[in-house]
């Protein structure tokens, strides 16, 4: 098992538990030491401390008896948005700082029943609305690779916690890129499962843009956690029966893959496109035929469709939750999202939004007649500055966006949310922040994205634990 212990993979830890070379208690102690070392800089965790003593004792007993479960003794950091009964449910806003959850998210229950240990809760932006992670409640979450830069959002705390070495596994959720963007900027892997694959809580289990899924530092670990998460729950009638378990199988013999090197008028920095093109050799070495392709969508087209959808479901929910007298207390990005969503609904209407969704899905359907998978950019830029709010939009590669969220082509695959998508690291940028790519496959073809991601990972080589590719955090703690 590679040193240091806090960067061991989940699969390595299970093997070490089995041969007695380490224990769940020793791992938790190592993770706590790492948190004490790095959290003053990274700020990826909420202040809430979870009691893990009983879970550790049970895991130690089960390993001794040989009755271990699939995740036995593995610490998992949990996105704070996903509730745990009796614990905080703040939605990342000081308006709800005293709210306590009355139920547990079904995926957290599945993790616990599989022997995983909810270890700490991770930070989010307010109402999970921004593609960076900062707010009045918890402050700024900083990138372990370069703390001047952000970690993405909204699962930014989970991505940063994995990169910093706080746990081998994490949970995320995704309504517009909220798992994939943090995975990209933190150099980890994140899975946006197809709609209905993993159970969720009402009312957002019925939102066709929403998913909850796993995050990890390796594709094999991602598969391990996803196989626990997948499956039907009676509490969520939209959830689907579990498919065959996914595997980190990198054999792409006979597969045809499209490298997406341009998307309409989206702006991409040169390093981003170089990272996408850099995967070609690895994919071909795994047996695939690779061709460059373009997508025809404009960023305004995509976001008008998405804002109309969000303006019909998520944004009215937020408005109802906060009440009409608290608008001025919200983060700038929350206020902007409420305004843009309201404008899009007035401009396009629900029917116009649905027609737009059908057009996007039709274009992708035609592409998937030829390609088994697409490998596409996640972000136009290699990094967002941690101390910026981007409340007046952003400019990337000479393209202007009224909202920073509009610059991320991840949203395309929430519109086409039956498509499974994995974010996998492909390169390091000149500023040190990782660059990820998103691997997309046909609706409900989970295994293909795991295979393509595994081939990219195999070609790229291991990162965490090696001197060259481990976040150094060689900066003073920030207040």
């Amino acid at each position: 098992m590679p040193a240091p212990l806090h960067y061991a993979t989940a699969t390595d830890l299970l093997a070490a538990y089995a041969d007695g070379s380490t224990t769940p208690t020793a791992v938790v102690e190592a993770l706590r030491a790492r948190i004490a070392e790095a959290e003053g800089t990274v700020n990826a965790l909420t202040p809430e401390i979870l009691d893990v003593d009983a879970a550790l004792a049970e895991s130690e007993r089960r390993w001794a008896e040989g009755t271990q479960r699939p995740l036995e003794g593995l610490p998992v950091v949990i996105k704070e948005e996903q509730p745990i009964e009796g614990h905080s449910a703040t939605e990342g806003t000081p308006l709800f700082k005293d709210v306590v959850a009355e139920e547990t998210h079904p995926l957290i229950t599945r993790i616990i029943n599989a022997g995983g240990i909810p270890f700490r809760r991770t930070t989010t932006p307010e109402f999970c609305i921004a593609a960076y992670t900062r707010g009045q409640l918890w402050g700024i979450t900083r990138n372990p690779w370069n703390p001047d830069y952000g970690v993405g959002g909204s699962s930014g705390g989970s991505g940063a916690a994995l990169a910093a070495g706080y746990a081998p596994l994490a949970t995320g959720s995704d309504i517009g890129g909220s798992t994939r963007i943090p995975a990209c900027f933190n150099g980890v892997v994140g899975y946006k499962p197809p709609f209905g694959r993993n159970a969720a809580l009402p009312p957002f289990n019925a939102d066709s843009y929403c998913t909850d899924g796993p995050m990890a530092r390796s594709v094999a670990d991602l598969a391990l956690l996803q196989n626990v998460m997948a499956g039907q729950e009676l509490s969520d009638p939209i959830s689907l029966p579990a498919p065959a378990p996914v595997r980190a199988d990198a054999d792409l013999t006979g597969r045809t893959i499209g490298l997406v090197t341009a998307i309409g008028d989206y702006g991409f920095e040169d390093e981003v496109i170089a990272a996408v093109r850099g995967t070609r050799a690895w994919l071909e070495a795994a047996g695939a035929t690779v061709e460059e392709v373009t997508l025809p969508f404009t960023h305004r087209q995509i976001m008008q469709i998405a804002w109309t959808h969000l303006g019909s479901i998520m944004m009215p929910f937020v408005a109802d939750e906060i009440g009409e007298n608290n608008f001025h207390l919200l983060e700038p990005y929350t206020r902007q999202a409420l305004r843009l969503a309201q404008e899009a609904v007035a401009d396009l209407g629900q029917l116009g939004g649905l027609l737009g969704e059908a057009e996007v899905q039709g274009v992708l359907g035609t592409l998937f007649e030829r390609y088994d998978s697409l490998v596409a950019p996640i972000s136009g830029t290699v990094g967002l500055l941690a101390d910026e709010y981007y409340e007046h939009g952003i400019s990337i590669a000479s393209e202007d966006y009224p909202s920073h969220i509009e610059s991320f082509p991840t949203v395309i695959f929430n519109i086409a949310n039956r498509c499974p998508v994995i974010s996998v690291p492909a390169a390091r940028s000149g500023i040190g922040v990782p660059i990820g790519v998103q691997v997309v496959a046909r609706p409900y073809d989970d295994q293909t994205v795991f295979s393509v991601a595994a081939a990219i990972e195999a070609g790229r080589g291991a990162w965490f634990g090696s001197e060259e590719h481990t976040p150094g955090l060689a900066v003073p703690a920030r207040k």
Side-chain angles (χ1 to χ4, degrees):
M1 184 170 58
L5 187 59
H6 58 262
Y7 277 130
T9 67
T11 49
D12 282 343
L13 288 176
L14 292 176
Y17 294 163
D19 67 21
S21 57
T22 194
T23 65
T25 298
V27 169
V28 165
E29 290 173 353
L31 298 180
R32 285 173 171 160
R34 177 58 172 172
I35 290 167
E37 174 187 27
E39 181 63 356
T41 295
V42 178
N43 188 36
L45 305 175
T46 73
E48 185 177 32
I49 302 298
L50 302 180
D51 184 358
V52 301
D53 290 346
L56 284 173
E58 181 175 6
S59 287
E60 304 273 5
R61 175 182 62 80
R62 283 179 173 271
W63 278 107
E65 295 174 351
T67 58
Q68 65 272 13
R69 297 162 291 181
L71 302 180
E72 197 64 66
L74 293 175
V76 185
V77 289
I78 306 296
K79 185 175 182 179
E80 203 260 2
E81 177 206 25
Q82 294 157 336
I84 301 174
E85 183 181 359
H87 293 276
S88 68
T90 69
E91 299 288 352
T93 177
L95 294 172
F96 297 167
K97 63 183 177 62
D98 297 322
V99 174
V100 174
E102 298 180 353
E103 59 185 337
T104 298
H105 194 287
L107 295 192
I108 311 309
T109 300
R110 280 178 169 262
I111 288 169
I112 293 169
N113 290 342
I117 300 175
F119 178 48
R120 291 292 299 266
R121 312 286 294 286
T122 60
T123 56
T124 69
E126 185 175 67
F127 292 108
C128 293
I129 282 173
Y132 50 85
T133 299
R134 67 174 295 179
Q136 300 169 60
L137 186 62
W138 297 313
I140 300 172
T141 301
R142 296 183 179 274
N143 198 301
W145 300 89
N146 183 341
D148 288 334
Y149 286 83
V151 296
S154 63
S155 307
S158 288
L162 289 169
Y166 295 175
L169 299 171
T171 66
S173 63
D174 196 312
I175 195 173
S178 286
T179 295
R180 290 160 287 158
I181 296 167
C184 170
F185 288 149
N186 290 283
V188 300
V189 287
Y191 186 43
K192 183 203 75 63
F195 178 60
R197 178 68 76 215
N198 296 348
L201 288 171
F204 291 104
N205 62 321
D207 184 339
S208 62
Y209 280 33
C210 283
T211 62
D212 295 87
M215 301 177 71
R217 286 191 295 265
S218 75
V219 177
D221 285 3
L222 196 72
L224 175 72
L225 186 50
Q226 173 58 20
N227 288 334
V228 166
M229 288 182 167
Q232 202 163 41
E233 291 285 345
L234 294 180
S235 62
D236 177 7
I238 293 171
S239 61
L240 301 170
V246 291
R247 312 173 310 282
D249 176 3
D251 182 6
L252 302 180
T253 302
R255 301 298 186 97
T256 301
I257 296 173
L259 291 188
V260 179
T261 54
I263 304 175
D265 62 352
Y266 281 81
F268 296 104
E269 294 171 358
D270 290 344
E271 286 183 283
V272 171
I273 298 304
V276 174
R277 288 193 168 120
T279 66
R280 176 189 284 270
W282 306 331
L283 297 169
E284 290 176 340
T289 298
V290 182
E291 301 172 359
E292 289 196 11
V293 300
T294 62
L295 300 181
F297 312 121
T298 69
H299 57 82
R300 175 170 171 78
Q301 169 198 13
I302 292 299
M303 278 312 300
Q304 281 295 95
I305 295 167
W307 283 129
T308 299
H309 177 93
L310 296 170
S312 302
I313 303 175
M314 183 180 178
M315 294 300 105
F317 172 84
V318 170
D320 286 347
E321 288 288 294
I322 63 171
E324 58 186 32
N325 296 324
N326 291 320
F327 183 82
H328 66 288
L329 299 175
L330 298 173
E331 297 289 339
Y333 52 77
T334 308
R335 297 196 302 269
Q336 183 190 54
L338 286 164
R339 175 178 59 80
L340 291 174
Q342 185 178 45
E343 290 173 357
V345 170
D347 180 41
L348 198 58
Q350 291 188 348
L351 177 57
L354 285 174
L355 291 172
E357 290 179 3
E359 181 181 350
V360 170
Q361 293 160 1
V363 169
L364 294 175
T366 298
L367 278 172
F368 284 128
E369 291 176 3
R370 177 171 179 81
Y371 299 104
D372 297 289
S373 178
L374 303 174
V375 176
I378 291 172
S379 168
T381 181
V382 297
L384 297 177
L385 289 167
D387 292 296
E388 290 286 341
Y389 258 116
Y390 297 99
E391 58 188 299
H392 302 298
I394 191 170
S395 180
I396 299 172
S398 301
E399 188 65 30
D400 296 326
Y401 303 88
S403 164
H404 75 286
I405 296 173
E406 189 165 320
S407 70
F408 292 95
T410 49
V411 180
I412 296 166
F413 304 107
N414 294 90
I415 293 172
N417 205 25
R418 274 73 175 175
C419 293
V421 191
I422 287 180
S423 170
V424 60
R428 289 274 300 283
S429 69
I431 60 172
V433 174
I435 303 172
V437 296
Q438 53 182 336
V439 178
V440 190
R442 297 178 178 112
Y444 296 102
D445 184 4
D446 301 60
Q447 182 55 55
T448 289
V449 293
F450 276 85
S451 294
V452 175
I456 293 171
E457 180 181 73
R460 185 205 70 215
W463 274 10
F464 293 97
S466 68
E467 184 175 346
E468 180 184 4
H469 290 296
T470 297
L473 293 166
V475 294
R478 296 174 184 266
K479 301 298 183 182

